[in-house]
Structures are given as C-alpha cells and as structure tokens.
Amino acid sequence: MKKTGLMLFMLICMFAFPGLGHAAGSTNIYLDGKALNLPKNGEVQNVNGNIMIPIRVVVEELGFNVNWEKVTRTVTIKQADTTLKLVVGEKTATVNGNKMNLLVAPILKSDTTLVPLRFIGEQFGLTVHWDNAAKTAYLVTPGDNNSGGDVDPGNGGTTEPTPPTTPPVTDENLASIGGISFSDNKLMIATDKNVTPNIFKISGPERIVIDIPNTKFADTFSNILDSDKNGYLDVEGYPAVSKIRYSLYSNSPSTIRFVIDLNQAQNYKLTNDNDGLVIIDLNSDSTSSGRKLVVIDAGHGGSDPGAISVTKKKEKDFNLAVTLKVEQLLKKETQFDYVLTRSGDTYPSLKDRVKIAEDMNADIFISIHANAGSATASGVETYYTRKESLALANVMHKYLVASSGLTDRKVRTKSLHVTRETTMPAVLLECGYLSNPKDDAILFTESFQNNVAEGIVKGIKEYLGIQ
Ligand SMILES: [Zn+2]
C-alpha cells in the first residue's frame, strides 16, 4: 500500500503539460496500464497551461501521507528521504530544504489545494507519455516490472499498452536512436544496435505506435527533446499523416515510443533487417508513393575531414555547408522528397550512405565533395560509375559548371563506392580544388556555396522533370 501510495502520488503530480489546452477536466490518467478515478469534487485544473492536481483530496483519498497546515497554507509531502513543501500563492517551494522555483503557485479553490504537478513530478522518475489528442497520460513506474498488459483508456478498447517488460539492460547496452526522418511516406528510425520493435495500430484517433525497447536517444536529440523527453517531427505533404511524435516512454526497460498520428486509417509495412534502420512504410501497397526521392550526401564528416585546403580548411565542412544550403532550397520544393545522409559533423560509413539510399528506394543520389590534387589543378568535375548514371551526371555537371563559374573539367567515370554500390542514378560532384589557392579562396564564401547549391537544385529539378 505504501508503494501504491507513492506511485499514485507521483502519478497525480505529473501534470503540467503546456500543450494541454483547456480541456483538463476530461484528462485521463493511467498508471502502469490501470486507469485512475479522479475525484469529482477535485478535478484536474488547467491554470495558464499548467496542470494542477487537487493534491489534498486525491492524496487523502488514496491514503497517502500529506500534511496540510491551514494557518501557513503549507502542503508538506514526505516520501522516503524526500520532503516537499509548497505554499499556496508562493512560486517557490522547497525540496529537502532547498528552494526551487515553480512555474505557477499552488492555489486554494473552494476547499481544495491544487499544486503544479510538473514541478513535483520532476522530483521523481516516472516516465510519462502524454497523448494530447486523447487528453490522456500514460505513466510507467521506474524500475518496477509492472506488467501493464492491455489497458482501456475509455475509447472503445483502443489502447496504447505499456511495453512488455524484460530484465533491465544497462545503459551501455541500450541501442541509441541516432535519427529519424519521414520521407517517401516512410518513417525511418536509425539505430546503432539490433532492436526489436513492437508495432501496433490504434483507432479513435487513428495512429500507429512503434515501441522500441532497450533504446535511448542519442546525444544529438538533447536539444530537440523537451524537458519531458518528448519530440516532434513536422510532416507536410502527406495527407494521411498529421504528425509524428516520439518520447522516452518507459525506463523499465528503457523504451522509446514513436507515434504516427494519422488523419485516416492506414496500413503499414515494418522492415527491420537489424542493419541499423527500422522502416515503417505507409505506402499501403508497399510500392512507391509516386513522389521522387533525392538523397543528398555530404562527403566525409566527423573523424574523416576529407581533403585539407591550402589554408587548412576541411573539405567535410565545405561539403556540409553546401548540403545544408541545398536542403534549405529543397524544403521549398513540394513535388519531391529528399533525405540527407548527414546533417551534422558525423561520419556515416560509405556503406551506410548507400544503404540509406537503397532502403529508401531513392530515385537519385548526389554526393557533394571538393577535390584536391596539384596546386595548379582547378575547376569542377562530376563523377559517375554505372552507365545508367550518365544522364544525371550530364545534367548535374551542366549546372555545376554554370553555378560555380570554375573551369569545366568534364564528366568523368571512376569506381567510387557510393556511385558504384548504389542502384539508382548516382553522381559525385567535385565542386573545386581545395589544393588550388584560387579555388580555395572562393569555395568557403557564402556566395559561391549559395550559387552551387542553387545549381544543384536546378539540376535535380531538370533531371526529375519538375518545373
Ligand atoms: Zn571528398
């Protein structure tokens, strides 16, 4: 009972979701798969976007030990070695005597004391998944093998069951989720270890849920996730998909949940070859959506600097800068999709780069590089390996020459990994010579990079036949 009290206490302390809107009265709460009955005379309140829980009523009803001092209007909550003190109307609280700021002060409403639960919840380790559409919170007790089983959140048995529990896995053994993207009507989740996703559909509203146990977010997610470890992926141009969200759903085992919110019922096909990419394909017949997909590959990166310029600049930085400028332009294109093999200073292996393009069934692959050679060599080259890439090479090279203003060193063939191992038309652009002082001086200028990025996008559009 003591434990139940703690869990329930933590549970009721978790609600301060800024996105909640004003429908807090209809909030549902599930703890480890079980619905809680919130007392009618002390329903959850929304105060300026902060969810307030009637702690006195709920806690007393549940038998949790709380002390209310009427004179000082102070709530004292004790559990194990943690003591929280909150005072009505005051925006500071104490945790074991240490002052902490609150976003919103506790309030007294009729005979009920309401407390801001985000603050209190942060003192505990519950995993919270908030479904804003359903106004429902799913909570998982940390380090506790509560078998959630199926839950019924009251919308016709359409549930998001708690993930199956397995023995705890140490943090180092967790697979890192390194990135996610949505393109060509497919959600792609990159992992660095083998994973076993659990995928299921839910109706009312329609959604597809993918739980991946024994995973954690890679460090790259730290500035994308909010303080509750929730993140969102904007999806535009796909009528069936309204949005994609993801969160650390459970600590036991550490489980990341992805939810594809749908505007209509939608079939999917899960591909998990344990090769670092989990794909949820929403093209119901598993064929292409008809939209073309372009892969932009910024050469080198991370530990691989590529060529070093005469002024000691790194090729990888040039490649990424141009790629990100290309991306900015591609974001405005509505008739085809794109994916980057890297968008930061990381090093996907050459195999990884090919695999991204192959797994996604890309239509064209463009790798962006700068060359190095003798100090006198100057100009641009476009490389291809397989003959089916020649037409793409010719188009891209025409625009590379025009946009760079550098010497035309022609379209060339060479056996390069990314242009050889891919199966779609694939080219590698050498946008100038870092070993040449004249080329080096302009390659890192904004204007040169903008021009080349524009040229690359023009080439892509001409090749795809897009106006
Ligand atoms: Zn290179």
Side-chain angles (χ1 to χ4, degrees):
M1 188 58 215
K2 196 175 177 195
K3 185 167 192 190
T4 305
L6 172 63
M7 292 191 299
L8 290 171
F9 166 70
M10 291 192 290
L11 163 73
I12 59 171
C13 290
M14 293 304 289
F15 294 93
F17 300 94
L20 192 61
H22 299 284
S26 59
T27 299
N28 301 303
I29 304 169
Y30 289 83
L31 173 64
D32 292 325
K34 292 196 181 72
L36 290 194
N37 286 320
L38 296 175
K40 284 214 167 67
N41 61 340
E43 281 193 304
V44 178
Q45 305 275 330
N46 185 330
V47 179
N48 298 330
N50 294 276
I51 298 306
M52 310 289 283
I53 281 285
I55 194 164
R56 184 165 174 260
V57 173
V58 176
V59 167
E60 285 183 354
E61 178 174 303
L62 299 170
F64 196 82
N65 185 20
V66 73
N67 185 39
W68 166 244
E69 282 179 56
K70 199 169 181 180
V71 178
T72 56
R73 307 206 296 176
T74 300
V75 181
T76 304
I77 308 137
K78 254 182 150 173
Q79 176 61 38
D81 43 9
T82 301
T83 302
L84 309 182
K85 275 183 192 284
L86 297 98
V87 181
V88 170
E90 288 191 10
K91 284 180 102 171
T92 52
T94 62
V95 181
N96 291 337
N98 299 315
K99 278 193 178 178
M100 305 280 276
N101 291 324
L102 302 175
L103 285 172
V104 57
I107 53 175
L108 194 57
K109 203 162 185 169
S110 303
D111 268 345
T112 304
T113 308
L114 303 172
V115 290
L117 292 163
R118 172 187 284 274
F119 164 77
I120 300 170
E122 282 172 354
Q123 311 307 317
F124 300 90
L126 272 192
T127 299
V128 181
H129 167 66
W130 173 248
D131 187 331
N132 195 39
K135 300 281 179 277
T136 298
Y138 301 92
L139 308 171
V140 180
T141 313
D144 190 274
N145 274 352
N146 285 289
S147 149
D150 287 345
V151 295
D152 181 0
N155 55 0
T158 55
T159 78
E160 293 187 9
T162 50
T165 52
T166 52
V169 176
T170 56
D171 192 57
E172 315 84 77
N173 292 332
L174 298 174
S176 274
I177 302 293
I180 68 167
S181 65
F182 190 85
S183 187
D184 199 31
N185 223 12
K186 297 173 194 172
L187 174 64
M188 274 144 299
I189 303 165
T191 69
D192 67 349
K193 288 194 177 73
N194 293 355
V195 293
T196 308
N198 173 30
I199 183 167
F200 48 95
K201 287 203 283 187
I202 297 178
S203 299
E206 298 288 343
R207 52 210 193 273
I208 296 168
V209 178
I210 307 105
D211 284 337
I212 312 185
N214 301 319
T215 53
K216 62 180 177 184
F217 286 114
D219 294 342
T220 48
F221 277 84
S222 58
N223 47 9
I224 302 170
L225 299 170
D226 66 19
S227 58
D228 289 322
K229 298 212 168 179
N230 297 313
Y232 301 89
L233 190 64
D234 286 330
V235 176
E236 277 172 32
Y238 295 91
V241 179
S242 75
K243 67 176 180 301
I244 293 169
R245 50 201 163 91
Y246 43 93
S247 62
L248 179 62
Y249 178 66
S250 172
N251 282 324
S252 177
S254 179
T255 298
I256 293 176
R257 165 168 288 188
F258 299 85
V259 179
I260 306 172
D261 285 315
L262 299 165
N263 297 317
Q264 62 197 53
Q266 175 72 52
N267 288 326
Y268 62 83
K269 179 171 167 265
L270 172 70
T271 304
N272 179 33
D273 296 333
N274 275 329
D275 51 10
L277 207 56
V278 174
I279 301 170
I280 297 92
D281 186 346
L282 302 186
N283 299 297
S284 53
D285 57 359
S286 295
T287 60
S288 167
S289 61
R291 289 165 70 93
K292 300 289 187 191
L293 176 67
V294 177
V295 174
I296 305 292
D297 174 46
H300 313 282
S303 57
D304 171 15
I308 305 294
S309 83
V310 285
T311 55
K312 301 284 181 274
K313 298 188 187 79
K314 293 170 182 154
E315 184 202 337
K316 66 174 184 178
D317 297 328
F318 168 83
N319 301 340
L320 182 62
V322 172
T323 296
L324 295 178
K325 286 174 160 49
V326 169
E327 182 187 27
Q328 289 308 311
L329 297 170
L330 292 181
K331 277 183 177 171
K332 298 176 194 160
E333 298 295 332
T334 56
Q335 297 184 66
F336 61 97
D337 296 322
Y338 69 91
V339 66
L340 308 183
T341 57
R342 71 179 177 102
S343 56
D345 187 19
T346 57
Y347 181 73
S349 71
L350 296 178
K351 270 187 171 174
D352 291 340
R353 298 169 199 244
V354 169
K355 185 171 164 34
I356 288 168
E358 292 298 318
D359 282 348
M360 296 181 64
N361 224 351
D363 293 284
I364 55 178
F365 182 99
I366 294 169
S367 192
I368 297 173
H369 287 251
N371 216 338
S374 73
T376 52
S378 166
V380 295
E381 297 141 0
T382 298
Y383 288 91
Y384 72 100
T385 309
R386 294 164 290 108
K387 64 179 187 314
E388 50 275 39
S389 302
L390 178 58
L392 175 65
N394 283 334
V395 171
M396 296 306 297
H397 191 67
K398 177 177 75 178
Y399 286 100
L400 180 59
V401 171
S403 63
S404 68
L406 294 176
T407 307
D408 179 357
R409 290 174 59 94
K410 307 298 179 190
V411 171
R412 300 167 177 228
T413 58
K414 200 171 186 177
S415 182
L416 300 164
H417 186 94
V418 294
T419 53
R420 183 185 65 236
E421 301 299 323
T422 41
T423 57
M424 71 290 304
V427 297
L428 187 148
L429 309 178
E430 294 285 7
C431 304
Y433 271 77
L434 294 171
S435 49
N436 178 290
K438 181 176 87 65
D439 286 12
D440 181 35
I442 63 165
L443 255 66
F444 285 87
T445 63
E446 284 285 310
S447 59
F448 179 87
Q449 293 176 358
N450 283 329
N451 290 342
V452 168
E454 277 175 33
I456 289 169
V457 173
K458 281 181 188 164
I460 291 168
K461 290 175 73 173
E462 178 173 318
Y463 182 79
L464 294 178
I466 290 165
Q467 298 302 307

